[in-house]
Amino acid sequence: MKKPLGAAVIALAFAGLGAAPAVAAPDTTSAVDSGTAVSTVRDTVTSATASLNRVLAPQVTAVNFAGTVSLSNCSGSVVRFPNSADTDPALVMTNGHCLETGFPEPGEVITGQSSTRTFGLLNSAGTKVATLRANQVVYSTMTDTDVTIYRLTTTYSAIKSSYGISPLTVQDTHPTAGTAITVVSGYWKRTYACNIDGFVYRLKEGDWTWKDSVRYTSACQTIGGTSGSPVIDNATGKVVAVNNTGNEDGQRCTENNPCEVDANGNVTVREGINYAEETYQIPACFTTGNKLNLSASGCVLPKP
């Protein structure tokens, strides 16, 4: 797990080297009329093609910190589902292993547990603008997935009215390999950009096993404290997963060193690669009023 932070101090190194801009080559086109005509046609076609590509390309949503939260030891986000109403009690999503009462045991599912946990609400610049408070752990588990969902004492509309911040929407369809994503850490006020490299049949770490996990490309070098960060699809701005772990030392299937297990039981260890748990299956388990219903049609989350 990208373990919750205690007293440990983590040194961060930032690289500031940028690539030099490309320089146009000198124009060596002959001045004869035929060459000029060909050059003009070529430039016109190139310009038209570029314009068409801009029109057809998906519009990329600028990913920032608005709607993310900082916990005492983890990251998280204020989330809504496609069918949530503005007047519903707001929800915060983070990891199961970020639960304030400790890691849920393998096979354990917690629902309806009282909570008074607080969260620092961030604006687009990563500045804390409010303290939000939970009154319940709606759902928490580390079985099949690694997620905790808190219910807050306020609504989405009240948060929007007071602070101008909207929740992040959880996508209700399976993410796609190759998608450009950003992991947004409210704890560190830092983002990590990469792509979805693929999906893991089973991800095993210590006593816990997760299903159909997201594997990042190597550019997302997440660290302790990024646990629970929303994984955002850059093109839609929606949450497709929740960041949770990475193989730190190349060990096999131990804590902080998850291993990949395929459908045939073959084990692969990828040192330095990080992972997230998909969230598309969660919306089906919440009904009117953001109420949890594990018996709802299409709900596949583990039950108590």
Side-chain angles (χ1 to χ4, degrees):
M1 273 93 36
K2 288 301 175 190
K3 47 192 175 293
L5 293 182
V9 176
I10 297 178
L12 299 179
F14 298 92
L17 298 180
V23 179
D27 184 3
T28 57
T29 304
S30 170
V32 298
D33 292 344
S34 60
T36 301
V38 171
S39 178
T40 300
V41 170
R42 182 178 62 243
D43 292 345
T44 301
V45 171
T46 299
S47 177
T49 301
S51 297
L52 181 60
N53 288 339
R54 284 195 294 272
V55 171
L56 297 179
Q59 297 301 306
V60 176
T61 303
V63 176
N64 56 48
F65 294 96
T68 63
V69 298
S70 59
L71 285 69
S72 58
N73 56 357
C74 286
S75 301
S77 56
V78 180
V79 296
R80 67 178 297 158
F81 306 122
N83 293 326
S84 295
D86 291 345
T87 53
D88 286 343
L91 303 174
V92 162
M93 183 171 67
T94 185
N95 280 151
H97 75 262
C98 293
L99 187 66
E100 68 266 38
T101 52
F103 291 9
E105 295 293 329
E108 183 180 13
V109 175
I110 297 165
T111 62
Q113 178 175 289
S114 179
S115 177
T116 58
R117 194 162 199 187
T118 59
F119 313 89
L121 177 66
L122 307 184
N123 63 14
S124 60
T127 301
K128 178 181 174 180
V129 296
T131 297
L132 305 176
R133 184 177 297 275
N135 57 20
Q136 186 182 93
V137 176
V138 178
Y139 185 87
S140 183
T141 193
M142 289 177 64
T143 299
D144 294 354
T145 186
D146 185 8
V147 68
T148 295
I149 297 176
Y150 290 93
R151 185 181 68 197
L152 301 183
T153 58
T154 189
T155 64
Y156 299 120
S157 58
I159 293 173
K160 177 71 171 179
S161 175
S162 297
Y163 312 110
I165 294 174
S166 299
L168 301 176
T169 298
V170 177
Q171 179 175 297
D172 59 1
T173 56
H174 195 287
T176 303
T179 298
I181 55 172
T182 303
V183 182
V184 187
S185 171
Y187 184 94
W188 287 113
K189 284 57 168 194
R190 183 177 176 185
T191 62
Y192 302 79
C194 60
N195 291 72
I196 294 178
D197 185 50
F199 304 100
V200 182
Y201 178 72
R202 296 290 185 267
L203 189 66
K204 180 174 174 54
E205 179 173 343
D207 295 329
W208 295 274
T209 300
W210 303 305
K211 296 179 178 179
D212 197 20
S213 303
V214 172
R215 179 178 61 240
Y216 304 144
T217 52
S218 60
C220 278
Q221 290 295 305
T222 51
I223 59 176
T226 63
S227 288
S229 298
V231 180
I232 299 175
D233 181 329
N234 293 353
T236 65
K238 293 182 179 181
V239 178
V240 296
V242 57
N243 178 69
N244 79 312
T245 195
N247 188 293
E248 297 181 359
D249 308 309
Q251 295 178 23
R252 179 186 170 105
C253 313
T254 62
E255 286 195 27
N256 304 315
N257 290 281
C259 62
E260 300 182 11
V261 184
D262 69 16
N264 296 317
N266 300 309
V267 175
T268 302
V269 174
R270 301 179 192 270
E271 183 176 359
I273 293 299
N274 296 290
Y275 302 89
E277 301 310 313
E278 294 169 350
T279 51
Y280 76 95
Q281 70 276 39
I282 296 176
C285 302
F286 283 79
T287 58
T288 304
N290 269 354
K291 293 180 180 178
L292 178 70
N293 182 1
L294 295 177
S295 298
S297 176
C299 178
V300 296
L301 288 178
K303 299 172 175 59

